[in-house]
């Protein structure tokens, strides 16, 4: 079986070990066939059991966001990465930041760093959405959740009053004011309660005050 045949069978750019072993099930040593594909750089191992095609052999771009869901789950793409994705902050963020109910963990891979931050189960369930693009769907934080995750896990900020919140959001993070003031304060309120976060609560109160 040549690479063209394999590409016809694997239509996605992100695939796992079971997909490959199923393709090579009629061979005496499927594991060896996979090793050859790796040595010839036909495919790239993102982590054990998870792969993408090398650039020369891709039909379309792979999804770092979907891979983030697959590398360590359950998880959603969140915090700085999603703030950048939505255009809430101006910086382009390359490393993927995620929220999970599992323990904190970082994965350094050939395609970038994936960082996972642990949150309580009840908090985790708030502010999750499915984002679809031309090729895949992935689990991500809503705008409110992405901001809350960033605030919750940013140990360098102290938000004791509205001036602190305003300085942190618009000077430190350079959050787009119109996008922030258009957020749902009730979602932030729920995140503050279940995340037991005084900082998120202060941010929510600042938003409510402006929205009145």
């Amino acid at each position: 079986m040549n690479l063209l045949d394999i590409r016809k069978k694997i239509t996605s750019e992100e695939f796992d070990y079971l997909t490959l072993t199923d393709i090579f099930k009629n061979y005496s040593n499927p594991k060896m066939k996979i090793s050859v594909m790796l040595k010839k750089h036909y495919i790239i191992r993102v982590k054990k059991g998870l792969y993408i095609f090398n650039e020369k052999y891709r039909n379309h771009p792979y999804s770092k966001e979907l891979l983030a869901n697959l590398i360590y789950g359950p998880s959603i793409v969140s915090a700085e990465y999603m703030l950048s994705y939505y255009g809430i902050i101006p910086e382009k963020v390359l490393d993927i930041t995620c929220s999970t109910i599992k323990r904190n963990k970082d994965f350094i891979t050939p395609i970038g760093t994936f960082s996972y931050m642990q949150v309580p189960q009840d908090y985790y369930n708030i502010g999750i959405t499915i984002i679809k693009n031309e090729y895949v769907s992935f689990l991500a934080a809503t705008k409110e959740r992405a901001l809350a995750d960033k605030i919750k896990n940013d140990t360098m900020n102290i938000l004791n009053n509205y001036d602190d919140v305003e300085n942190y959001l618009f000077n430190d993070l350079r959050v787009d004011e119109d996008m922030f003031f258009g957020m749902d304060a009730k979602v932030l309120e729920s995140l503050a309660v279940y995340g037991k976060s005084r900082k998120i609560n202060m941010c929510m109160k600042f938003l409510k005050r402006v929205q009145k």
Side-chain angles (χ1 to χ4, degrees):
M1 185 182 295
N2 60 36
L3 186 60
L4 183 61
D5 294 327
I6 295 170
R7 276 271 40 181
K8 287 179 180 178
K9 290 179 177 292
I10 304 178
T11 57
S12 63
E13 298 302 323
E14 312 84 10
F15 51 96
D16 60 16
Y17 182 78
L18 290 177
T19 301
L20 290 173
T21 54
D22 183 62
I23 287 175
F24 297 130
K25 62 186 177 183
N26 294 325
Y27 288 80
S28 60
N29 193 340
K31 189 175 180 180
M32 180 61 70
K33 296 293 292 185
I34 296 171
S35 295
V36 170
M37 290 187 72
L38 286 166
K39 287 178 181 178
K40 290 186 175 181
H41 303 292
Y42 294 156
I43 61 176
I44 298 169
R45 180 189 286 116
V46 178
K47 63 163 284 191
K48 186 177 180 180
L50 185 62
Y51 310 89
I52 59 173
F53 282 103
N54 205 344
E55 186 174 6
K56 286 174 60 178
Y57 311 109
R58 290 175 201 151
N59 293 330
H60 51 77
Y62 65 84
S63 170
K64 287 183 73 173
E65 299 86 2
L66 175 58
L67 288 168
N69 292 161
L70 298 173
I71 287 171
Y72 195 59
S75 64
I76 62 170
V77 186
S78 188
E80 294 97 325
Y81 187 88
M82 288 309 299
L83 291 175
S84 175
Y85 184 96
Y86 289 127
I88 296 172
I89 59 174
E91 288 79 17
K92 183 176 177 61
V93 177
L94 298 179
D95 291 342
I96 300 276
T97 45
C98 301
S99 183
T100 181
I101 57 172
K102 292 185 177 180
R103 63 185 178 87
N104 294 350
K105 197 161 186 178
D106 293 333
F107 293 84
I108 299 174
T109 79
I111 60 171
T113 300
F114 296 77
S115 298
Y116 297 80
M117 305 166 293
Q118 184 180 38
V119 298
Q121 177 73 69
D122 289 340
Y123 175 97
Y124 177 82
N125 293 331
I126 302 169
I128 298 177
T129 188
I130 297 175
I131 295 180
K132 298 180 180 180
N133 61 32
E134 186 178 355
Y135 306 111
V136 300
S137 301
F138 63 94
L139 288 173
T142 61
K143 296 173 183 178
E144 294 84 1
R145 172 62 181 277
L147 180 61
D149 279 352
K150 170 59 180 174
I151 294 169
K152 181 176 174 59
N153 291 284
D154 192 344
T155 58
M156 299 301 292
N157 71 79
I158 301 174
L159 308 182
N160 289 322
N161 52 54
Y162 293 147
D163 287 340
D164 288 345
V165 173
E166 187 171 12
N167 183 64
Y168 174 69
L169 291 177
F170 305 129
N171 292 331
D172 295 347
L173 297 184
R174 295 200 293 164
V175 165
D176 182 279
E177 292 190 24
D178 289 338
M179 296 190 78
F180 171 73
F181 294 133
M183 288 185 181
D184 189 336
K186 290 183 179 179
V187 175
L188 283 177
E189 186 171 14
S190 295
L191 289 164
V193 171
Y194 289 106
K196 298 178 181 179
S197 172
R198 181 188 56 80
K199 294 186 296 182
I200 298 174
N201 190 58
M202 182 61 68
C203 184
M204 176 273 296
K205 288 181 177 179
F206 175 72
L207 176 59
K208 276 189 171 182
R209 187 185 73 161
V210 174
Q211 288 180 338
K212 285 182 179 179

